[in-house]
Amino acid sequence: MGLTSRSLEYATVLAALVCVGLTVWVWPRLARRGPVAVLGRLGVIAVTQLTIITSFAVAVNTQFDFYGSWGELLGHVDKAPAQVTALGRSGVYSTVGAVQGRLVQPAGPQGLDRVKGLPHGPAAQVGRVESVRIIGRRTRAVDPGFVYLPPQYFQKQYHRQRFPVMVTISGYPGGIMNLAQYLQVPQTAQRLLQQNKMQPTVIVMVRPTIAPPRDTECVDVPGGPQAETFFTKDLPEAIKQTYRVGHDPSAWGALGYSSGGTCSLQLAMRNPNVYTSAASLSGDYKIADDLTTGSLFGSGPAGARRRREHDLVWRLKHLPVPNVSVLAASSRQGEKDYADTMKFLHAVKSPMTSAQIILPRGSHHFTTWLREIAPAMQWMSGQLTFPQDITPAPAKHRPGATAHKPASAPAHSPTTQAAGRPRR
C-alpha cells in the first residue's frame, strides 16, 4: 500500500479501532496485582496509543502530502540517471507521454484525483492539468509536479506559439497537493483567464525541497543537494524540452507561499537571467539554518559569504541590483514578517521594481494566501511577456507562407500596489 493511499489510511484507522475494542475487552483481566498484570496494562496502553497516533499521522499525511512515498519518509531520496524510461499509463494524468530520455515523465495522480474544481472537458476549451515527475539532468533529482496548460495551448491559432511560464512553489513541509487543493492555483488561473484578467500561461507546480525530508530552501548545499541548480537549470531545461514555452527569461516567473515565497525571491534576485519576476506570499528575506535544513552553507569564511549572499536586503546594499520585478505580500497584524517585508521593499532600487499586497490583518495560513493568490497571479501575468517566440515551422511549411497569427493578449487590471517604473 502506498503511503498516501486511502487503503493505508483506512487500514490504520481500523487497526486503531480494533485495539481500542480489545483494550476495553481485556482490561478486566489485567486488573490484578503483580508485575505481569502491570506490564500487560502498560503494553495494551502503548499499543493502543501507537495505533491511534499512527492513524492520525497517516490521515494528515494523506491530506497534506508531506511525504509522497515510503522512501521519502525513510529519507531514501530517488536519484535517477539522466536517461529515464517510464512505462506509459492510460488516463488523464499521463498525457505528456513516456519517451525514453524525457526529462518530464508521466506520473500517477499524486493526489490530483482528490482535488476539486480542476478543468474537466475538452482541453481546447478548459485547459488541462498533468501529473508528472521532473528529472534533473545535472542534480539527478526526481521531483513530483503538476503542470497546468491553458486552453489556448491546444487551440489551432496558437499551435506554434510559445507560452510564458509561472513556476509556483509550495511551502515546507507541504507538497504539490497544497498548491492544487488549498491554494487553488489551477482553479484560479482558469477563472482569471475566463475573466480576461490573465494571459495564457503554463503553470508548473512544485515543492521547495528536492531531498525530502530535508528542507533544502532552494540552496546549493556544499557537498549536498543542489536545489538552486535544479530550479535554475534542470527544471527550465526539462519544461522547455517537453512543453511549448518561452525560452527567453522574460517568459519566466516564480511564485510561492511561505518557504516557496522565500525561494521565489531568491531565485529571481540571484538568477535574473532565468527568472525576471517573483512573487512571495509570507516569505522570508534571508535564509538561516534550522533543525529541518541542517547546514545549508557550510563553515568557515566561504560559508559565511554564502549565508550573506542569501540575505536579500544585504544583496541590495552590497551587490549589483538585478533588473527584475518582485511582489511581496504580508499583513500588518497577524504575520511576523511584516516589518521585514517593509524593510525589504524600502531597500528596492532601480533597475529593480517592486509591488506589494499588504492586508490589514492576516495569518501564516491558507485563509490569508487564498486572498492573495489571485492578485499575485494577475500581477505576475502582467510581468511575463506574451506572445513569446514561435516554434520552428514544420518541414512541409512552404517558404513565405503566413503563420497563424496569435490572438491579442488579454487585458490586465492588477489590484496590487506597484512601486517604481515598469520594466517594459
Side-chain angles (χ1 to χ4, degrees):
M1 289 182 288
L3 183 58
T4 60
S5 65
R6 290 294 183 185
S7 56
L8 178 63
E9 183 179 3
Y10 297 150
T12 55
V13 171
L14 178 61
L17 292 175
V18 169
C19 284
V20 170
L22 289 175
T23 299
V24 174
W25 179 261
V26 303
W27 194 261
R29 302 181 183 181
L30 299 174
R32 306 190 187 111
R33 297 180 181 274
V36 175
V38 171
L39 290 175
R41 291 196 294 270
L42 291 175
V44 166
I45 292 173
V47 172
T48 302
Q49 291 293 327
L50 180 62
T51 55
I52 292 174
I53 292 172
T54 300
S55 66
F56 273 107
V58 170
V60 169
N61 186 69
T62 302
Q63 185 76 3
F64 293 99
D65 197 28
F66 293 139
Y67 299 100
S69 67
W70 292 104
E72 287 186 5
L73 179 64
L74 298 174
H76 302 154
V77 181
D78 189 5
K79 294 184 177 180
Q83 301 297 321
V84 176
T85 303
L87 297 176
R89 303 182 183 93
S90 60
V92 68
Y93 307 112
S94 53
T95 50
V96 296
V99 181
Q100 183 175 2
R102 280 286 188 182
L103 298 178
V104 176
Q105 298 285 346
Q110 301 185 121
L112 200 60
D113 52 345
R114 304 197 303 268
V115 179
K116 297 180 180 179
L118 295 179
H120 288 287
Q125 297 179 17
V126 298
R128 186 167 69 202
V129 181
E130 298 184 344
S131 178
V132 301
R133 297 188 315 152
I134 301 171
I135 313 300
R137 186 170 64 83
R138 298 164 186 81
T139 61
R140 297 179 179 262
V142 180
D143 212 35
F146 298 144
V147 178
Y148 168 79
L149 302 172
Q152 291 81 357
Y153 190 90
F154 305 95
Q155 295 172 4
K156 185 176 180 181
Q157 64 267 37
Y158 293 92
H159 77 289
R160 290 181 56 206
Q161 194 69 59
R162 297 188 191 275
F163 290 78
V165 181
M166 190 181 302
V167 178
T168 59
I169 309 172
S170 71
Y172 177 88
I176 53 176
M177 269 288 289
N178 288 356
L179 293 167
Q181 185 169 12
Y182 298 105
L183 199 60
Q184 299 182 4
V185 169
Q187 300 91 322
T188 302
Q190 185 179 22
R191 184 175 70 253
L192 291 175
L193 279 169
Q194 292 171 347
Q195 296 172 350
N196 203 36
K197 294 180 178 179
M198 177 178 169
Q199 58 189 346
T201 304
V202 172
I203 302 176
V204 181
M205 291 162 268
V206 289
R207 61 190 181 187
T209 178
I210 64 167
R214 185 177 185 179
D215 181 9
T216 51
E217 289 281 341
C218 298
V219 170
D220 279 351
V221 181
Q226 302 294 289
E228 185 172 13
T229 297
F230 177 83
F231 279 97
T232 57
K233 292 183 172 63
D234 285 345
L235 185 146
E237 177 187 41
I239 298 301
K240 291 173 184 177
Q241 181 198 84
T242 307
Y243 298 100
R244 212 166 61 251
V245 299
H247 288 197
D248 190 83
S250 64
W252 286 73
L255 179 154
Y257 69 89
S258 192
S259 294
T262 305
C263 283
S264 297
L265 293 175
Q266 294 279 342
L267 292 173
M269 291 184 62
R270 291 174 55 83
N271 303 274
N273 60 330
V274 180
Y275 298 95
T276 54
S277 61
S280 171
L281 313 183
S282 304
D284 295 324
Y285 304 95
K286 62 181 178 181
I287 295 176
D289 295 342
D290 60 28
L291 292 176
T292 64
T293 64
S295 177
L296 292 173
F297 306 108
S299 58
R305 175 180 55 80
R306 283 190 287 265
R307 183 176 286 101
R308 284 196 305 271
E309 291 177 353
H310 282 81
D311 183 331
L312 299 184
V313 175
W314 183 92
R315 292 185 68 90
L316 288 169
K317 292 180 179 179
H318 297 92
L319 297 178
V321 178
N323 185 16
V324 297
S325 296
V326 297
L327 178 146
S330 186
S331 305
R332 290 188 179 88
Q333 296 182 11
E335 291 197 72
K336 296 180 180 179
D337 71 336
Y338 173 71
D340 289 337
T341 298
M342 301 312 297
K343 182 180 179 180
F344 169 74
L345 291 172
H346 290 151
V348 171
K349 52 189 175 184
S350 180
M352 187 171 164
T353 61
S354 64
Q356 65 183 37
I357 301 175
I358 303 297
L359 301 178
R361 186 182 301 274
S363 61
H364 200 78
H365 193 267
F366 288 102
T367 54
T368 296
W369 300 326
L370 275 172
R371 298 176 59 190
E372 299 167 341
I373 185 60
M377 292 177 68
Q378 190 175 342
W379 171 86
M380 179 162 287
S381 179
Q383 312 306 308
L384 305 180
T385 301
F386 181 81
Q388 273 286 312
D389 53 342
I390 60 174
T391 58
K396 65 180 180 179
H397 187 71
R398 300 192 314 275
T402 304
H404 290 288
K405 182 180 180 181
S408 58
H412 306 285
S413 55
T415 60
T416 56
Q417 303 174 25
R421 293 180 292 107
R423 292 190 298 111
R424 300 187 306 278

